[in-house]
């Protein structure tokens, strides 16, 4: 019987992710030459070169590029099968890799995670937080959380909640610049905008019983929704933000909700994205079920 390829595939994927044999060696405790030999064994089994080695870098060969997607699928399926069988003997366990945007991570996810760990003490968390869209498969995430509309992909999408938008400003800003009473008055105000998302600069409003897309502008753009929230609280301008992001500031009066009768809150899904094959891993399934129940 042939020996399983799974350890070699796992090593190959980690080398691609970290970019060097030395980095994988430092992580695993092996030598760099030992890690290189593991990849060489995989290449010998496949009878192709997967990596072009040089003194400065490692580059995937065309065959390596072709094999990469299959390797990720094979490893995910192997892990799912192992976890499915072992789950009958115990609780969900192992490292759970999560990616989320800053706003959701800070205001929704982080407060929930202690309860998840209390319920599943054998799960360890690796949480990456970024407002830049990443490739969940390339990053080897178990679960990637998205707020808003999704692009077409092969990922499995599970709806875990809904976000609605709110327009708000601080009492200090309104005292200095006045409170807008109609949609068109927003064009005379400094609006804080999220960079990298073109639809965020067009706010859906109601005017004379018609829904319009109102183009707004301002002196501040940022790729961080959290930074925009802090600037709005400090009086820099008017912000349109997800209800979960502004909930605390609205509740304690640091922000004031505006134009409620003139604004379309535009409900959008909060979605957990999972690579095919990983949805059956017990820790992934437990995490998604936990989020759906909590949100």
């Amino acid at each position: 019987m042939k020996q399983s390829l799974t350890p070699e595939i796992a090593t190959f994927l980690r080398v691609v992710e970290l970019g060097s044999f030395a980095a994988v060696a430092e992580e695993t405790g092996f030598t760099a030459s030992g890690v290189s030999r593991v990849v060489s064994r995989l290449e010998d089994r496949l009878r192709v070169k997967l990596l072009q080695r040089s003194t400065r870098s490692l580059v995937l060969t065309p065959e390596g590029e072709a094999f990469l997607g299959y390797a990720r699928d094979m490893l995910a399926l192997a892990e799912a099968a192992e976890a499915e069988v072992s789950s009958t003997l115990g609780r969900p366990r192992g490292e759970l890799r999560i990616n989320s945007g800053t706003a959701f991570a800070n205001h929704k996810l982080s407060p929930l995670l202690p309860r998840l760990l209390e319920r599943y003490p054998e799960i360890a968390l690796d949480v990456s937080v970024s407002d830049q869209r990443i490739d969940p498969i390339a990053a080897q995430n178990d679960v990637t959380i998205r707020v808003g509309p999704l692009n077409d992909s092969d990922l499995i999408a599970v709806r875990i909640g809904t976000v609605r938008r709110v327009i708000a400003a601080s009492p200090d800003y309104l005292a200095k610049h006045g409170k807008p009473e109609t949609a068109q008055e927003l064009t005379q105000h400094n609006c804080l905008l999220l960079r990298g998302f073109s639809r965020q600069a067009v706010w859906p409003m109601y005017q004379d019983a018609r829904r319009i897309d109102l183009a707004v502008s301002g002196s501040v753009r940022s790729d961080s929704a959290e930074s925009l929230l802090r600037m709005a609280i400090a009086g820099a301008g008017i912000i349109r933000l997800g209800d979960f992001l502004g909930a605390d500031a609205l509740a304690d009066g640091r922000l004031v909700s505006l134009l409620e009768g003139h604004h379309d809150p535009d409900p959008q899904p909060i979605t957990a994205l999972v690579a095919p094959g990983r949805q059956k891993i017990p820790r992934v399934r437990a995490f998604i079920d936990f989020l759906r129940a909590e949100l």
Side-chain angles (χ1 to χ4, degrees), residues 266-286:
D266 190 25
Q268 294 290 336
I270 304 172
T271 308
L273 299 176
V274 185
R278 303 194 75 81
Q279 78 276 13
K280 294 184 178 180
I281 297 174
R283 64 177 177 273
V284 174
R285 189 167 59 225

Side-chain angles (χ1 to χ4, degrees), residues 165-184:
R165 303 290 173 179
V166 179
I167 295 177
S170 72
D172 285 347
Y173 177 88
L174 297 176
K176 292 178 182 177
H177 302 282
K179 184 177 181 180
E181 301 292 347
T182 66
Q184 283 298 331

Side-chain angles (χ1 to χ4, degrees), residues 68-81:
L68 186 61
Y70 291 109
R72 286 176 175 142
D73 291 344
M74 291 164 65
L75 194 63
L77 288 171
E79 185 178 1

Side-chain angles (χ1 to χ4, degrees), residues 61 140 215 232:
T61 65
Q140 296 189 23

Side-chain angles (χ1 to χ4, degrees), residues 13 27 30 59 95 105 107 117 203 205 214 221 250:
L13 288 174
E27 182 179 79
F30 292 104
V59 179
E95 184 178 75
H107 294 268
L117 293 174
W203 293 2
M205 307 296 295
L214 184 71
R221 291 178 180 266
L250 288 165

